[in-house]
Amino acid sequence: MTRAWERAGPDRRIRFAVTAATVAVVAEVALTAAGLVAGLPPLLVWLPAVAGVVMAAQACLFAAADTHGALRRFWRRLAAGLAVIALAGCSQAVDVATAPQGVLPPMSQRTLLTYVAAVLVLALAVLRLPTGSRHWRHRLTEAQDIAIVMVAAAVAAAQYLRSFTDVSSGVPASWLNLGMLAIGAAGLIAVVKSMVAGHGLLARPVLWYGAAAGALGPLSVPMMSVLKPWPHLNGSAVVLPAAGLLFCLAVREQIRAAPAPRRSSGNLAKVGVRRDSYVPLVATTLTTGLLLTVYLRTGDLPPILLGGAAVLMMMVVARQAVALSGQAALLGRLAHQASHDTLTGLPNRRAFTAAIEDRVADGEDLTVLLLDINAFGAINDGLGAASGDALLRAYGERLLATAGAGALVARLGSDEFGLLAPAGRAGTLPEQVLTATRLPLEINGHDLLMETAIGVATAAAPQTGDVFRRAEVALRAASAAGGHRVVCYDTLLDQQSGTHARLAAELRHALDDGEFHLLYQPIIDLGSGHVTSVESLIRWQRADGRVVSPADFIPVAEETGLIVELGAWVIDTASAQAADWHDRHGPHAPKVAVNVSARQLLDPALPRTVAAALARHSLPPHRLTVELTETAVFGGGPALATVRALAELGVAIALDDFGTGHSSLSLLRTCPVDVLKVDKSFIDGLNGAPEQEAIAVALSGIATSLHLRTVAEGVETAAQADRLRDLGYHHAQGFHFSRPIPADAVDALLPAAEPAALR
């Protein structure tokens, strides 16, 4: 049978065990029923009894093989205890076979001690199983539960000693009584452990089945009394198969609960209060039933029973008082969690808006500040979620220190905070907050400079939705403007917000109707004056002839997500033009650069979009350059992975506005860069003091050392072009050479025509 057991799968094995134990119970019931009306061989009832226990021990060994750690030790101890019970059953069967006439039901001292040892092993297995929660209130209520059950058990034991001292046996009545009391105490320990174990390793039904099995032990004594007229039957034999079946059912629950046992609510465990406890109810109910039974049978209640019942009731009252205090603590914690942010401990959006409502109801004037941390996502991706969380906590603490008394600081969302203060502070508070948030925060060894957009709305006893909505409108304006700034609400912002919404709707139609086109700004070789590459720039001209500035529609496209589709159109159109120039001008054709936004870099499909455009137009990858800003890839993560995927296609990568973003030099080690486009702000300082040229010189030297190509942006004079050439720059672009022009105008600047003037 062992080999078949090992070959079977977990589900089949446990079904087989439960089925076999059920057959043993049915057989025992059938034999007992038959023995009530006819004689049977005395040993016959012991066959299903021992078989049921053996099957339960085998099931526990299977559970041990399927678990590890404390659970494996638990199931092994249960298997050992059941094996000893099976041994005790065999010993009692021997007692039956060898008992002298007149001693019924026979039980030797050896058998009784074996039963006691077995049940103590089972109780030890349950006691050694961890319960999980270590909160002081949980430990206190657990101790109270145990004490309540022990008092109830003492009351029951007193009555037991009075009622069952006349059961005949092979051992003295005192030995039998003490042994049965020990078995009953062990069973009670298992029951209490099952009731108080709500957060342990086992699912609750596992312990309940085990507790029920442990409680069957003391039932064998009254069964002996009941079956005394039938010497061929035995109370222990009747009880054992049922105990074996209950243990098999416990193993089945263990299999169903794997791999993760069900646990109670983590919030409840933190407070230390269990979801429910039936110990007081069960103990008082059973004790009351015992008192009522004794009174109905004898017409009197012994003083020991009355005294025990009184002590029990007082203990139950104390237990419930502790439980009620725990429930109050739980409710307070849940109320705090419902109104506060778990990360920072600050009030959340619900509490913030409720505070506005309360102050409005009191007729107070309000100042509402909404704050948003710029580029928080890049920092969170680049330094990790732990650093991002630490940043949010430190940022909230700084706001609290800056806001002072009388102000409410809340975390409203991922990187959005709110500040509510009296209207009298409207003039100074925004600038104070702006100054405070400009200072660096030290997070895990990094000094981080944060740019904060702040929207401010002030109103005298406003409508709740109005003041909050106005602050949101102001915040959107501050975020769209970029940088570290405060925007106060005025009615013009509402008009701009409406314009923004209309522009977002019109963008979709413009893309469908072909209202966009590309212009190209040449990049010049400073030595030869030839055009080596061009930067493609998108323009929007409406059907009615009106031109919409990129400064107006690009932020809207970014916010709505349409920038991804718009960017794909730019990549395809620029690639088609680059392929046309390559076909007509060969090696003298200019390379074409396209600008890619931070939002596009977060699109995992961008490399496929570029690869498809290259394949569609048969454009060699090195003829296309992807321009991006340092800020877009500073945080690493998905954006940097996208850039690396683009580089693997063979396209060139250019860093635009180099020198003005985050951590520029460290970025050169991680990002596969080919071209540095030096920002116009450094070019404007040429031909001035030596200090003004120092950065331009340093950037050129760094690029040369790293074998990168440099392009000077924003060249507006011949003097700047000459100075750049003297400083070692080879490429430049700007209005001095050409403004953005159509594709056919670029043809006029290619080598077939005169080189572009350097004057």
Side-chain angles (χ1 to χ4, degrees):
M1 185 174 66
T2 301
R3 291 179 181 175
W5 180 275
E6 291 175 350
R7 287 195 301 268
D11 292 338
R12 290 185 59 191
R13 282 183 282 181
I14 192 56
R15 283 200 300 269
F16 175 75
V18 172
T19 301
T22 302
V23 170
V25 171
V26 172
E28 189 66 44
V29 171
L31 289 172
T32 302
L36 294 176
V37 297
L40 293 174
L43 293 181
L44 187 60
V45 295
W46 287 98
L47 295 178
V50 174
V53 177
V54 169
M55 183 55 61
Q58 180 68 67
C60 291
L61 287 177
F62 160 63
D66 202 44
T67 55
H68 55 83
L71 274 180
R72 173 171 292 183
R73 292 190 293 272
F74 168 75
W75 289 112
R76 284 177 174 173
R77 288 168 181 150
L78 286 188
L82 289 169
V84 178
I85 287 181
L87 182 63
C90 293
S91 176
Q92 192 168 1
V94 173
D95 294 341
V96 170
T98 60
Q101 290 292 330
V103 181
L104 294 171
M107 179 183 291
S108 66
Q109 184 174 344
R110 175 197 68 237
T111 299
L112 179 61
L113 291 178
T114 306
Y115 275 125
V116 172
V119 177
L120 291 179
V121 172
L122 295 174
L124 176 65
V126 178
L127 282 176
R128 295 295 299 273
L129 188 67
T131 57
S133 175
R134 292 293 90 198
H135 192 278
W136 69 268
R137 188 176 281 109
H138 185 204
R139 292 197 296 269
L140 176 60
T141 54
E142 182 174 327
Q144 288 177 310
D145 286 343
I146 293 175
I148 288 171
V149 171
M150 290 298 103
V151 171
V155 173
Q159 181 60 28
Y160 168 82
L161 291 175
R162 297 177 69 236
S163 302
F164 294 107
T165 55
D166 61 343
V167 177
S168 299
S169 178
V171 295
S174 58
W175 279 96
L176 179 64
N177 290 330
L178 289 175
M180 289 302 144
L181 286 176
I183 294 173
L188 284 173
I189 290 174
V191 171
V192 174
K193 181 73 173 188
S194 301
M195 289 180 173
V196 302
H199 314 293
L201 297 175
L202 289 175
R204 186 180 289 267
V206 176
L207 282 172
W208 276 111
Y209 279 122
L216 289 177
L219 291 181
S220 62
V221 174
M223 289 299 298
M224 290 179 186
S225 179
V226 170
L227 297 176
K228 187 176 180 180
W230 296 273
H232 47 276
L233 301 179
N234 190 282
S236 299
V238 172
V239 167
L240 287 179
L245 175 60
L246 288 171
F247 278 110
C248 288
L249 293 174
V251 173
R252 186 183 66 180
E253 291 299 324
Q254 170 68 28
I255 299 302
R256 290 178 175 178
R262 295 186 295 273
R263 298 177 184 269
S264 297
S265 168
N267 291 336
L268 300 182
K270 291 179 182 177
V271 182
V273 180
R274 294 187 305 281
R275 183 173 51 196
D276 48 32
S277 177
Y278 302 107
V279 172
L281 176 62
V282 172
T284 54
T285 300
L286 292 179
T287 303
T288 303
L290 176 63
L291 293 177
L292 183 61
T293 301
V294 172
Y295 182 77
L296 292 176
R297 290 180 58 185
T298 65
D300 187 26
L301 288 176
I304 189 171
L305 295 186
L306 288 175
V311 171
L312 179 65
M313 294 305 172
M314 289 187 291
M315 294 179 66
V316 169
V317 170
R319 164 66 174 80
Q320 296 306 101
V322 173
L324 288 176
S325 69
Q327 294 296 333
L330 171 62
L331 292 175
R333 183 181 183 88
L334 292 177
H336 184 273
Q337 289 180 347
S339 61
H340 285 73
D341 173 55
T342 56
L343 177 62
T344 62
L346 297 174
N348 58 19
R349 179 181 290 268
R350 176 183 299 176
F352 189 72
T353 55
I356 295 177
E357 292 176 355
D358 291 341
R359 298 195 185 190
V360 168
D362 294 339
E364 295 184 26
D365 296 343
L366 301 179
T367 297
V368 175
L369 279 69
L370 298 184
L371 306 93
D372 185 76
I373 304 175
N374 295 335
F376 172 75
I379 295 172
N380 194 59
D381 291 339
L383 300 180
S387 294
D389 291 346
L391 171 63
L392 293 173
R393 286 191 291 265
Y395 190 86
E397 292 170 1
R398 178 164 293 178
L399 289 180
L400 281 172
T402 305
L408 174 68
V409 176
R411 183 185 178 210
L412 307 182
S414 174
D415 57 354
E416 184 178 343
F417 290 79
L419 199 156
L420 176 62
R425 300 187 62 189
T428 59
L429 185 59
E431 288 300 328
Q432 290 174 351
V433 172
L434 194 69
T435 301
T437 55
R438 184 179 284 116
L439 300 175
L441 290 171
E442 184 178 352
I443 305 297
N444 297 335
H446 300 275
D447 286 331
L448 300 180
L449 287 171
M450 307 308 305
E451 289 185 348
T452 300
I454 303 177
V456 182
T458 303
Q463 295 296 321
T464 304
D466 283 343
V467 69
F468 193 82
R469 182 194 64 80
R470 292 170 186 172
E472 287 185 313
V473 171
L475 178 62
R476 284 198 297 268
S479 299
H484 199 67
R485 66 180 64 239
V486 175
V487 172
C488 295
Y489 173 83
D490 60 38
T491 55
L492 290 177
L493 290 178
D494 271 332
Q495 298 176 11
Q496 293 173 2
S497 180
T499 302
H500 177 98
R502 289 193 300 272
L503 195 60
E506 292 170 355
L507 266 173
R508 173 76 266 171
H509 296 295
L511 186 56
D512 293 338
D513 296 341
E515 294 181 2
F516 293 101
H517 65 277
L518 295 183
L519 297 181
Y520 301 90
Q521 185 171 31
I523 297 173
I524 305 301
D525 185 301
L526 290 174
S528 66
H530 291 162
V531 176
T532 60
S533 56
V534 294
E535 179 183 355
S536 59
L537 302 167
I538 189 169
R539 295 293 183 263
W540 179 9
Q541 185 173 9
R542 299 177 187 267
D544 59 9
R546 290 183 299 155
V547 174
V548 183
S549 170
D552 294 330
F553 72 79
I554 292 296
V556 177
E558 289 269 7
E559 185 174 332
T560 60
L562 192 60
I563 191 68
V564 173
E565 189 172 350
L566 195 61
W569 177 85
V570 170
I571 292 169
D572 186 73
T573 304
S575 297
Q577 184 59 61
D580 177 64
W581 281 326
H582 180 64
D583 292 340
R584 293 190 290 112
H585 296 277
H588 299 294
K591 297 180 180 180
V592 177
V594 294
N595 290 284
V596 172
S597 70
R599 174 66 180 82
Q600 288 174 270
L601 289 177
L602 295 178
D603 178 16
L606 180 61
R608 293 195 298 272
T609 299
V610 173
L614 295 174
R616 184 160 46 248
H617 303 293
S618 301
L619 179 66
H622 70 276
R623 309 299 302 179
L624 183 68
T625 300
V626 173
E627 291 192 11
L628 45 96
T629 63
E630 298 168 86
T631 304
V633 292
F634 165 72
L640 186 56
T642 299
V643 175
R644 289 172 176 161
L646 290 171
E648 290 176 0
L649 293 177
V651 302
I653 304 297
L655 280 184
D656 201 9
D657 302 329
F658 184 76
T660 61
H662 298 279
S663 188
S664 301
L665 298 181
S666 63
L667 191 62
L668 298 180
R669 299 198 310 268
T670 59
C671 187
V673 179
D674 302 291
V675 181
L676 300 183
K677 301 193 73 174
V678 180
D679 188 70
K680 180 181 184 300
S681 60
F682 303 124
I683 306 306
D684 290 341
L686 297 178
N687 295 313
E691 293 82 1
Q692 294 177 297
E693 295 185 351
I695 296 179
V697 173
L699 293 178
S700 176
I702 291 171
T704 300
S705 299
L706 296 176
H707 305 289
L708 303 178
R709 188 161 59 95
T710 55
V711 176
E713 296 184 289
V715 179
E716 297 182 348
T717 66
Q720 288 177 336
D722 292 338
R723 186 57 181 158
L724 285 169
R725 189 167 49 247
D726 294 340
L727 294 176
Y729 281 81
H730 300 290
H731 301 88
Q733 80 180 92
F735 287 178
H736 169 64
F737 305 108
S738 175
R739 292 178 177 272
I741 56 179
D744 55 1
V746 174
D747 277 301
L749 300 178
L750 295 179
E754 292 294 328
L758 298 179
R759 297 186 300 275

